[in-house]
Amino acid sequence: MGEALFVKICGLKTELDVDAAVEAGADAIGFVFSASPRRVDAATAARLGARVPEGVLTVGVFKDEPLGDVRAVAEESGVRAVQLHGDYEAADFRELRAGGWTLIRAAAFGDTVPRCGEFGEDMLLLDAPVPGSGTAWDWSRMPGSAAGERWLLAGGLAPDNVAEAVAAARPWGVDVSSGVEASRGVKDPALIVEFVKAARSRA
Ligand SMILES: O=C(O)c1ccccc1N[C@@H]1O[C@H](COP(=O)(O)O)[C@@H](O)[C@H]1O
């Protein structure tokens, strides 16, 4: 049997969300630090992150924030990984490397397929053009592409389509936010459990 699918649940704001994701078996949980209905501050993320066992990656999610702010918030919150969306360059990833974080580069799937590691990142997240919008893209174009090994599929995933998406795109992992919410910005613990189960159902 191969390596189990890596599952990240993003945009968590409460103890209930975090406990549901950890108990469901998520490998990573995300705290959004940029403009979003899911935004939390560094102190909240630090408090929530303290509930998370060592083996689960806590990820700080940033979009178009100055690098100095990314570093400061990542340090204050104690997240173990940093996920960058926007116009960041390879030099930014090199600079963050010194902080010891696992680095995740987010990119939209377009005419060219980004490759994991190109910017010195540890994981590549391929998403729809507007992150966190719940919009899917044509992931059936992924198999045989050059994305590399550690790439995560994101964008419009939910308990009822994630198994099909994994079968079609064959990612190393998946990431979800909107698809496990009862309403925008409010997670549903039951959907989190369903999502993790469905994501790994064809493994
Ligand atoms: O969730 C947000 O609001 C967000 C804001 C800024 C950057 C990234 C954000 N979320 C990321 O969006 C994808 C999944 O989105 P969805 O499942 O389609 O809603 C995931 O990578 C989140 O980390």
Side-chain angles (χ1 to χ4, degrees):
M1 205 165 80
E3 196 180 4
L5 188 80
F6 184 93
V7 179
K8 171 170 170 273
I9 309 289
C10 201
L12 305 185
K13 297 196 298 191
T14 69
E15 280 89 351
L16 203 65
D17 300 343
V18 169
D19 293 352
V22 169
E23 279 162 28
D27 299 289
I29 62 165
F31 300 120
V32 178
F33 294 123
S34 294
S36 166
R38 301 158 185 131
R39 183 178 195 148
V40 291
D41 60 22
T44 302
R47 180 172 48 77
L48 295 177
R51 309 173 71 77
V52 178
E54 277 285 313
V56 177
L57 200 61
T58 51
V59 183
V61 177
F62 300 87
K63 182 168 186 292
D64 297 325
E65 306 290 338
L67 207 62
D69 295 357
V70 170
R71 205 182 310 105
V73 172
E75 278 169 4
E76 187 187 342
S77 62
V79 290
R80 299 170 191 141
V82 168
Q83 176 177 321
L84 299 180
H85 294 249
D87 281 335
Y88 295 97
E89 298 175 353
D92 299 324
F93 285 83
R94 275 199 297 277
E95 202 175 318
L96 288 175
R97 178 62 66 199
W101 296 288
T102 294
L103 302 178
I104 306 174
R105 176 169 66 110
F109 183 84
D111 294 337
T112 55
V113 183
R115 185 166 180 82
C116 181
E118 256 170 357
F119 281 41
E121 73 274 27
D122 301 294
M123 299 178 198
L124 172 70
L125 187 144
L126 290 179
D127 198 357
V130 183
S133 61
T135 312
W137 50 278
D138 184 9
W139 49 61
S140 65
R141 290 170 58 198
M142 285 309 296
S145 78
E149 282 187 10
R150 290 196 159 206
W151 78 273
L152 306 178
L153 175 64
L157 297 178
D160 62 1
N161 70 1
V162 65
E164 180 200 336
V166 167
R170 301 204 291 275
W172 176 78
V174 292
D175 186 9
V176 64
S177 194
S178 307
V180 292
E181 290 181 342
S183 60
R184 196 155 167 72
V186 180
K187 291 289 180 284
D188 178 336
L191 288 179
I192 291 175
V193 173
E194 261 188 69
F195 183 87
V196 177
K197 206 182 284 178
R200 297 194 180 124
S201 61
R202 296 200 194 174

